[in-house]
Amino acid sequence: MTTAVITALHGAARAAAHPTPGTRDCRACAPAEAVLADRDDGTVVRHGAAVAKAHAPGTDPAGHRARLAVAAHPRLAGILLPPLPLGVREAAGRPVTAWPYGVPVDPADPDAAPWEAAATLLARLHSVGTGALPGPLPPMRGPLKAARALARMRAAGEHPAASATVERAWGSLPTWARGEAAPLRGGTLCHGDLHLGQLVRHPAPAGPWLLIDVDDLGIGDPGWDLARPAAWYLAGLLAPEIWQRFLGAYTAAGGPAVDPGGDPWRRLDVPARALTVQTAALSVVRAAAERREPDEVDRAMIDACARIARLPPELETRAPS
């Protein structure tokens, strides 16, 4: 990341943490400034009680504004972390936003992972009626992100055996799941990129869990928000009891992605397959970038793709509902 972007984010986070002129004595801020994340899809800097984020290059301005407006809407209170007032800012042509600092999930304590809280928040998010929200919100980008992962794997050009397995699984998916046709189900407010890194406690350090990162927020099939943990479960990376806790909390909170009392896989099967392929493709990309063979976790997702490729192809006319 360029120094100019980091410098701009430090200034934005400082301004958000100390919005009143004359109160910018940072001796009480701990830490005063820290880079929390530095990835291609977003860079995040903290200053005391606030963080500033530079969003991905090429972020659609209209969609970005609509997502921020939804995050700030009263109907999303207690579900999404709301943005802080900052005004229009950019860093190297990338939009910059500010947010309250929240305590993230501790990766060193997997037993304390808030699976039930994540599921309940998703169910509440999916139950928010979209008619009264600011908009128009763009489509949820699940199939598009999966297609981009395949494109990145193809561009990497390494690990041909693993890539071929992933390609066969990709080819078995219906076109709507590959982003090549209109989705067969939609109309629900979706997070678009659910994983445990998307939750924080706010107010820090022990407030309730809230969802963060609205870069993929949009309208679509809520099954895609459950697809990543479903894919991990099917690949053997998420224990069955944790999956059951997650799914049970989601259905108990009235989440609409699955039929109450019915077979959840009627709606989750195709999204879970697509997220398996997406994850495996990105595993190949990382292995190529790090000049190594796929590790144990990578191999679990690639092996899951091999099983997917042996399944009968999905019929294009079958709606995931």
Side-chain angles (χ1 to χ4, degrees):
M1 179 51 54
T2 65
T3 302
V5 171
I6 295 294
T7 299
L9 290 178
H10 283 320
R14 192 177 304 115
H18 306 287
T20 303
T23 63
R24 298 189 180 184
D25 182 348
C26 299
R27 287 175 294 179
C29 293
E33 292 177 346
V35 178
L36 302 185
D38 188 4
R39 302 184 302 271
D40 292 341
D41 61 348
T43 302
V44 180
V45 166
R46 177 185 178 188
H47 182 96
V51 299
K53 177 176 181 177
H55 297 260
T59 296
D60 171 58
H64 176 70
R65 288 192 297 270
R67 292 178 175 113
L68 288 179
V70 169
H73 196 276
R75 297 192 68 179
L76 277 300
I79 302 173
L80 292 175
L81 186 72
L84 293 173
L86 185 63
V88 178
R89 293 203 182 203
E90 290 189 348
R94 298 163 58 178
V96 171
T97 55
W99 307 81
Y101 173 74
V103 177
V105 175
D106 184 359
D109 189 8
D111 291 337
W115 288 105
E116 289 92 339
T120 301
L121 287 168
L122 274 187
R124 292 177 60 196
L125 180 75
H126 295 164
S127 300
V128 173
T130 59
L133 295 179
L137 270 172
M140 183 270 298
R141 300 191 300 172
L144 178 60
K145 292 184 70 173
R148 288 178 176 172
L150 266 290
R152 290 182 61 188
M153 184 189 75
R154 291 162 183 161
E158 297 189 37
H159 303 302
S163 296
T165 300
V166 176
E167 289 281 6
R168 286 195 296 272
W170 181 247
S172 73
L173 297 173
T175 55
W176 61 265
R178 300 197 303 261
E180 298 169 3
L184 299 183
R185 184 179 178 219
T188 298
L189 181 62
C190 299
H191 182 274
D193 189 27
L194 189 279
H195 53 79
L196 290 179
Q198 306 289 37
L199 288 97
V200 298
R201 284 192 179 277
H202 178 74
W209 291 105
L210 297 173
L211 292 170
I212 62 171
D213 189 354
V214 297
D215 286 353
D216 295 296
L217 193 74
I219 304 300
D221 176 1
W224 286 84
D225 278 347
L226 279 67
R228 182 174 274 108
W232 291 343
Y233 163 67
L234 293 175
L237 299 176
L238 187 67
E241 59 270 21
I242 295 178
W243 166 248
Q244 291 301 328
R245 283 166 42 200
F246 175 81
L247 186 62
Y250 181 84
T251 55
V258 294
D259 297 320
D263 178 7
W265 298 106
R266 291 185 62 238
R267 291 187 170 181
L268 299 184
D269 179 60
V270 172
R273 293 193 204 186
L275 259 293
T276 299
V277 177
Q278 174 182 322
T279 305
L282 294 178
S283 295
V284 173
V285 171
R286 284 191 296 270
E290 297 167 7
R291 299 186 179 279
R292 61 170 174 80
E293 291 299 312
D295 61 23
E296 183 178 359
V297 173
D298 300 335
R299 183 54 59 185
M301 301 308 297
I302 295 166
D303 290 346
C305 284
R307 295 192 293 273
I308 289 172
R310 292 194 293 267
L311 294 171
E314 289 287 329
L315 297 177
E316 295 295 331
T317 55
R318 175 186 168 191
S321 60

Coordinates of all heavy atoms in Angstrom, one line a residue, residues 188-234:
T188 N -33.9 -10.2 -1.3 CA -33.6 -10.2 0.1 C -32.3 -9.3 0.4 O -31.4 -9.4 -0.4 CB -33.4 -11.6 0.7 OG1 -34.6 -12.3 0.5 CG2 -33.0 -11.5 2.2
L189 N -32.3 -8.6 1.4 CA -31.1 -7.8 1.8 C -30.1 -8.8 2.3 O -30.3 -9.5 3.3 CB -31.4 -6.8 2.9 CG -30.3 -5.9 3.4 CD1 -29.7 -5.1 2.2 CD2 -30.7 -5.0 4.5
C190 N -28.9 -8.8 1.7 CA -27.9 -9.8 2.0 C -26.5 -9.1 2.3 O -26.2 -8.0 1.8 CB -27.6 -10.7 0.8 SG -29.0 -11.7 0.2
H191 N -25.8 -9.7 3.2 CA -24.4 -9.2 3.5 C -23.5 -9.4 2.4 O -22.7 -8.4 2.0 CB -23.9 -9.8 4.8 CG -22.6 -9.3 5.2 ND1 -21.4 -9.8 4.7 CD2 -22.3 -8.3 6.1 CE1 -20.4 -9.1 5.3 NE2 -20.9 -8.2 6.1
G192 N -23.4 -10.5 1.8 CA -22.6 -10.8 0.6 C -21.2 -11.3 0.8 O -20.6 -11.8 -0.1
D193 N -20.7 -11.3 2.1 CA -19.4 -11.8 2.3 C -19.3 -12.2 3.8 O -18.3 -11.8 4.5 CB -18.3 -10.7 2.0 CG -16.9 -11.3 2.0 OD1 -16.7 -12.5 1.8 OD2 -16.0 -10.5 2.3
L194 N -20.1 -13.1 4.2 CA -20.2 -13.4 5.6 C -19.1 -14.4 6.0 O -18.9 -15.5 5.4 CB -21.5 -14.1 6.0 CG -21.9 -14.4 7.5 CD1 -21.3 -15.6 8.0 CD2 -21.5 -13.2 8.4
H195 N -18.3 -14.0 7.0 CA -17.4 -14.9 7.7 C -17.1 -14.3 9.1 O -17.5 -13.1 9.4 CB -16.1 -15.1 6.9 CG -15.4 -13.9 6.5 ND1 -14.6 -13.1 7.4 CD2 -15.3 -13.2 5.3 CE1 -14.1 -12.1 6.7 NE2 -14.5 -12.1 5.5
L196 N -16.4 -15.0 10.0 CA -16.2 -14.5 11.3 C -15.4 -13.2 11.4 O -15.5 -12.5 12.4 CB -15.6 -15.6 12.2 CG -16.5 -16.8 12.5 CD1 -15.8 -17.8 13.4 CD2 -17.8 -16.4 13.2
G197 N -14.6 -12.9 10.4 CA -13.9 -11.6 10.4 C -14.8 -10.4 10.1 O -14.4 -9.3 10.2
Q198 N -16.1 -10.7 9.9 CA -17.0 -9.6 9.6 C -17.9 -9.3 10.8 O -19.0 -8.7 10.7 CB -18.0 -10.0 8.5 CG -17.2 -10.4 7.2 CD -16.6 -9.2 6.5 OE1 -16.0 -8.3 7.1 NE2 -16.6 -9.2 5.2
L199 N -17.4 -9.6 12.0 CA -18.1 -9.3 13.3 C -17.2 -8.6 14.2 O -16.0 -8.9 14.3 CB -18.7 -10.6 13.9 CG -19.9 -11.3 13.3 CD1 -19.4 -12.4 12.4 CD2 -20.9 -11.8 14.3
V200 N -17.8 -7.6 14.9 CA -17.0 -6.9 16.0 C -18.0 -6.7 17.2 O -19.2 -6.6 17.0 CB -16.4 -5.6 15.5 CG1 -15.4 -5.8 14.4 CG2 -17.5 -4.6 15.1
R201 N -17.4 -6.5 18.3 CA -18.1 -6.1 19.5 C -18.1 -4.6 19.6 O -17.0 -4.0 19.6 CB -17.6 -6.7 20.8 CG -17.9 -8.2 21.0 CD -17.5 -8.6 22.4 NE -17.8 -10.0 22.7 CZ -19.0 -10.4 23.1 NH1 -20.1 -9.6 23.2 NH2 -19.2 -11.7 23.4
H202 N -19.2 -4.0 19.6 CA -19.3 -2.5 19.8 C -20.5 -2.1 20.7 O -21.6 -2.7 20.5 CB -19.4 -1.8 18.4 CG -19.6 -0.3 18.5 ND1 -18.5 0.5 18.8 CD2 -20.6 0.5 18.4 CE1 -18.9 1.7 18.9 NE2 -20.2 1.8 18.7
P203 N -20.3 -1.3 21.6 CA -19.1 -0.6 22.0 C -18.0 -1.5 22.5 O -18.3 -2.5 23.2 CB -19.5 0.4 23.1 CG -21.0 0.5 23.0 CD -21.4 -0.8 22.5
A204 N -16.7 -1.2 22.2 CA -15.6 -2.0 22.7 C -15.5 -1.8 24.2 O -15.8 -0.7 24.7 CB -14.3 -1.6 22.0
P205 N -15.1 -2.8 25.0 CA -14.7 -4.1 24.4 C -15.7 -5.2 24.5 O -15.5 -6.3 24.1 CB -13.5 -4.5 25.4 CG -13.9 -3.9 26.7 CD -14.7 -2.7 26.4
A206 N -16.9 -5.0 25.1 CA -17.8 -6.1 25.4 C -19.2 -5.8 25.0 O -20.1 -6.4 25.5 CB -17.8 -6.4 26.9
G207 N -19.4 -4.9 24.0 CA -20.7 -4.7 23.5 C -21.2 -5.8 22.7 O -20.6 -6.8 22.5
P208 N -22.5 -5.7 22.2 CA -23.0 -6.8 21.4 C -22.3 -6.9 20.0 O -21.6 -6.0 19.6 CB -24.5 -6.3 21.1 CG -24.4 -4.9 21.3 CD -23.4 -4.6 22.3
W209 N -22.4 -8.1 19.5 CA -21.8 -8.4 18.2 C -22.6 -7.6 17.1 O -23.8 -7.6 17.1 CB -21.7 -9.9 17.9 CG -20.8 -10.6 18.7 CD1 -21.1 -11.5 19.7 CD2 -19.4 -10.7 18.6 NE1 -20.0 -12.0 20.3 CE2 -18.9 -11.5 19.6 CE3 -18.4 -10.0 17.7 CZ2 -17.5 -11.8 19.8 CZ3 -17.1 -10.3 17.9 CH2 -16.6 -11.2 18.9
L210 N -21.9 -7.1 16.1 CA -22.5 -6.4 15.0 C -21.7 -6.8 13.7 O -20.5 -7.2 13.8 CB -22.4 -4.9 15.1 CG -23.2 -4.2 16.3 CD1 -22.8 -2.8 16.3 CD2 -24.7 -4.4 16.1
L211 N -22.4 -6.8 12.6 CA -21.8 -7.1 11.3 C -21.1 -5.9 10.8 O -21.6 -4.7 10.9 CB -22.9 -7.6 10.3 CG -23.6 -8.9 10.6 CD1 -24.8 -9.1 9.6 CD2 -22.6 -10.1 10.4
I212 N -20.0 -6.1 10.1 CA -19.3 -5.0 9.5 C -19.0 -5.3 8.0 O -19.3 -6.4 7.6 CB -17.9 -4.7 10.2 CG1 -17.0 -6.0 10.1 CG2 -18.1 -4.3 11.7 CD1 -15.6 -5.7 10.6
D213 N -18.4 -4.3 7.3 CA -18.0 -4.5 5.9 C -19.2 -4.6 5.0 O -19.7 -5.7 4.7 CB -17.1 -5.6 5.7 CG -16.4 -5.6 4.4 OD1 -16.8 -4.8 3.5 OD2 -15.6 -6.5 4.1
V214 N -19.7 -3.5 4.5 CA -20.9 -3.4 3.6 C -20.5 -3.4 2.1 O -21.4 -3.1 1.3 CB -21.8 -2.3 4.0 CG1 -22.3 -2.4 5.4 CG2 -21.1 -0.9 3.8
D215 N -19.2 -3.7 1.8 CA -18.8 -3.6 0.4 C -19.6 -4.5 -0.5 O -19.6 -4.2 -1.7 CB -17.3 -3.9 0.3 CG -16.5 -2.7 0.8 OD1 -17.0 -1.7 1.1 OD2 -15.2 -2.9 0.9
D216 N -20.1 -5.6 0.0 CA -20.9 -6.5 -0.9 C -22.3 -6.6 -0.5 O -23.1 -7.4 -1.0 CB -20.3 -7.9 -0.7 CG -18.8 -8.0 -1.3 OD1 -18.7 -7.8 -2.5 OD2 -17.9 -8.2 -0.5
L217 N -22.8 -5.6 0.3 CA -24.2 -5.6 0.7 C -25.0 -5.4 -0.5 O -24.7 -4.6 -1.4 CB -24.4 -4.4 1.7 CG -25.7 -4.4 2.4 CD1 -25.8 -5.4 3.5 CD2 -25.9 -3.0 3.0
G218 N -26.1 -6.1 -0.7 CA -27.0 -6.0 -1.8 C -28.2 -6.9 -1.8 O -28.5 -7.5 -0.8
I219 N -28.9 -6.9 -2.8 CA -30.2 -7.6 -2.9 C -29.9 -8.9 -3.7 O -29.3 -9.0 -4.7 CB -31.3 -6.8 -3.7 CG1 -31.5 -5.5 -3.0 CG2 -32.6 -7.6 -3.7 CD1 -31.9 -5.5 -1.6
G220 N -30.4 -10.0 -3.1 CA -30.2 -11.3 -3.7 C -30.7 -12.5 -2.9 O -31.7 -12.3 -2.1
D221 N -30.1 -13.6 -3.1 CA -30.5 -14.9 -2.5 C -29.8 -15.0 -1.1 O -28.6 -15.1 -1.1 CB -30.1 -16.1 -3.4 CG -30.4 -17.4 -2.8 OD1 -30.9 -17.5 -1.7 OD2 -30.1 -18.4 -3.5
P222 N -30.6 -15.0 0.0 CA -30.0 -15.1 1.3 C -29.2 -16.4 1.5 O -28.3 -16.4 2.4 CB -31.1 -15.0 2.3 CG -32.3 -15.5 1.5 CD -32.1 -15.1 0.1
G223 N -29.4 -17.4 0.7 CA -28.6 -18.6 0.9 C -27.1 -18.4 0.7 O -26.3 -19.1 1.3
W224 N -26.8 -17.4 -0.1 CA -25.3 -17.1 -0.3 C -24.7 -16.7 1.0 O -23.4 -16.9 1.1 CB -25.2 -16.1 -1.4 CG -25.4 -16.7 -2.8 CD1 -26.6 -16.8 -3.4 CD2 -24.5 -17.2 -3.7 NE1 -26.5 -17.4 -4.6 CE2 -25.2 -17.6 -4.8 CE3 -23.1 -17.4 -3.6 CZ2 -24.5 -18.2 -5.9 CZ3 -22.4 -18.0 -4.7 CH2 -23.2 -18.4 -5.9
D225 N -25.4 -16.1 1.9 CA -24.8 -15.6 3.2 C -24.5 -16.8 4.1 O -23.7 -16.7 5.0 CB -25.7 -14.6 3.9 CG -25.5 -13.2 3.3 OD1 -24.6 -13.0 2.6 OD2 -26.4 -12.4 3.6
L226 N -25.2 -17.9 3.9 CA -24.9 -19.1 4.7 C -24.0 -20.1 4.0 O -23.6 -21.1 4.5 CB -26.3 -19.9 5.0 CG -27.1 -19.3 6.1 CD1 -27.7 -18.0 5.8 CD2 -28.3 -20.3 6.4
A227 N -23.6 -19.7 2.7 CA -22.9 -20.7 1.9 C -21.5 -21.0 2.4 O -21.0 -22.1 2.2 CB -22.9 -20.2 0.5
R228 N -20.8 -19.9 2.9 CA -19.4 -20.2 3.3 C -19.3 -21.2 4.5 O -18.6 -22.2 4.4 CB -18.7 -18.9 3.6 CG -17.2 -19.1 4.0 CD -16.5 -17.8 4.2 NE -15.9 -17.3 2.9 CZ -16.4 -16.2 2.3 NH1 -17.4 -15.6 2.8 NH2 -15.9 -15.8 1.2
P229 N -20.0 -21.0 5.6 CA -20.0 -22.0 6.6 C -20.5 -23.4 6.1 O -20.0 -24.4 6.6 CB -20.8 -21.5 7.8 CG -21.6 -20.3 7.2 CD -20.8 -19.8 6.1
A230 N -21.5 -23.3 5.3 CA -22.0 -24.6 4.7 C -20.9 -25.3 3.9 O -20.8 -26.5 4.0 CB -23.3 -24.3 3.8
A231 N -20.2 -24.5 3.1 CA -19.1 -25.1 2.3 C -18.0 -25.7 3.3 O -17.5 -26.8 3.0 CB -18.5 -24.1 1.4
W232 N -17.7 -25.0 4.3 CA -16.7 -25.5 5.3 C -17.1 -26.8 5.9 O -16.4 -27.7 6.1 CB -16.4 -24.4 6.3 CG -15.7 -23.2 5.8 CD1 -15.0 -23.1 4.7 CD2 -15.6 -22.0 6.5 NE1 -14.5 -21.8 4.6 CE2 -14.8 -21.1 5.7 CE3 -16.0 -21.5 7.7 CZ2 -14.5 -19.8 6.0 CZ3 -15.7 -20.2 8.1 CH2 -15.0 -19.4 7.2
Y233 N -18.4 -26.8 6.2 CA -19.0 -28.0 6.8 C -18.9 -29.2 5.9 O -18.4 -30.3 6.2 CB -20.4 -27.8 7.3 CG -21.2 -29.0 7.5 CD1 -21.0 -29.9 8.6 CD2 -22.3 -29.4 6.7 CE1 -21.7 -31.0 8.8 CE2 -23.1 -30.5 6.9 CZ -22.7 -31.3 7.9 OH -23.5 -32.5 8.2
L234 N -19.3 -29.0 4.6 CA -19.2 -30.1 3.7 C -17.8 -30.5 3.3 O -17.6 -31.7 3.0 CB -19.9 -29.6 2.4 CG -21.4 -29.4 2.5 CD1 -22.0 -28.8 1.2 CD2 -22.2 -30.7 2.9

